[in-house]
Amino acid sequence: EVQLLESGGGLVQPGGSLRLSCAASGFTFSSYAMSWVRQAPGKGLEWVSTISGSGGSTYYADSVKGRFTMYRDNSQNTLYLQMNSLRAEDTAVYYCARKYTYGQYWDMDVWGQGTTVTVSS
Amino acid sequence: QSALTQPASVSGSPGQSITISCTGTSSDVGNYNLVSWYQQHPGKAPKLMISEGTKRPSGVSNRFSGSKSGNTASLTISGLQAEDEADYYCCSYAGSVVFGGGTKLTVL
């Protein structure tokens, strides 16, 4: 079964750091670009970042550029999002998602269940 | 403010058809038909319903279809069912990846 499982969310103070993980199973992980998408409480979806299958290319939303780093370990089938200098507005459910084979990198056909990040003092 | 504009809400009765619009500009939606559409039920992860404007991934009901006219992409749901009640988001590239603000579909 194709599956994505996020972990690492929690409560962190403003200015703090957190690392999210996304464990993939059931497919050839290295063959797929992957993305992080977040959703603030009661709000819509917001694209955060995307990484190529090899990990050689990454793309970030302006709102997180310079603060967040996305990377992957294809030997461990795991995706990461290192979040530094966290702000209250980063509070959200963070989803990892797989690029749909037959679409653009914003076409995401497999999603995890999400992990919640709360930035508060 | 999102670069892709959706109506906040739409509604329809079972069996009817509804259309959700997603308006961009000539630089994004108008120049390419690469809009994707996601369905999200409360407390659940989004689900890809349409990719690249009109393509339906395997397993998605053929009651869902995508189209484009000018700078506006549209998602049409025909034969509305109670289970279609959800939030719907369009998504495309407009300098970076952007989602529309979302549309809440209510099945009356």
Side-chain angles (χ1 to χ4, degrees):
Chain A
E1 180 189 4
V2 173
Q3 196 170 8
L4 297 172
L5 187 62
E6 302 98 334
S7 60
L11 174 64
V12 60
Q13 292 188 337
S17 297
L18 210 56
R19 189 182 77 165
L20 306 184
S21 300
C22 171
S25 59
F27 63 99
T28 305
F29 182 63
S30 60
S31 295
Y32 290 85
M34 300 291 296
S35 296
W36 288 97
V37 175
R38 68 184 181 183
Q39 187 169 34
K43 302 297 184 182
L45 301 173
E46 180 186 15
W47 171 77
V48 174
S49 60
T50 296
I51 189 168
S52 61
S54 67
S57 298
T58 50
Y59 310 89
Y60 297 95
D62 287 344
S63 57
V64 306
K65 201 173 294 183
R67 299 188 300 123
F68 290 11
T69 302
M70 184 179 187
Y71 59 103
R72 62 194 297 162
D73 183 343
N74 286 342
S75 68
Q76 297 293 317
N77 292 341
T78 303
L79 182 71
Y80 299 97
L81 185 67
Q82 177 66 45
M83 304 185 296
N84 299 330
S85 303
L86 282 162
R87 307 166 180 166
E89 53 264 36
D90 296 318
T91 294
V93 174
Y94 284 73
Y95 295 99
C96 65
R98 186 186 81 171
K99 176 190 173 294
Y100 178 48
T101 300
Y102 305 109
Q104 306 298 313
Y105 69 83
W106 55 90
D107 296 326
M108 296 165 277
D109 67 337
V110 179
W111 294 66
Q113 85 291 347
T115 187
T116 300
V117 172
T118 303
V119 184
S120 174
S121 55
Chain B
Q1 188 160 351
S2 175
L4 301 178
T5 302
Q6 299 181 233
S9 64
V10 298
S11 63
S13 299
Q16 288 185 332
S17 293
I18 64 95
T19 296
I20 299 172
S21 61
C22 173
T23 302
T25 69
S26 57
S27 299
D28 41 71
V29 175
N31 206 20
Y32 310 96
N33 195 12
L34 297 177
V35 174
S36 52
W37 288 92
Y38 294 89
Q39 175 192 66
Q40 187 182 34
H41 289 106
K44 301 295 186 181
K47 176 184 178 182
L48 181 65
M49 305 303 284
I50 297 289
S51 76
E52 294 189 332
T54 60
K55 299 177 183 177
R56 231 179 3 257
S58 175
V60 173
S61 170
N62 59 9
R63 298 187 297 107
F64 292 81
S65 62
S67 62
K68 191 198 83 167
S69 177
N71 297 338
T72 298
S74 297
L75 173 71
T76 297
I77 309 174
S78 60
L80 208 55
Q81 299 179 0
E83 68 212 46
D84 300 331
E85 185 162 294
D87 293 325
Y88 291 85
Y89 296 90
C90 62
C91 182
S92 190
Y93 186 83
S96 67
V97 176
V98 290
F99 284 92
T103 298
K104 181 175 181 58
L105 169 61
T106 300
V107 180
L108 302 171

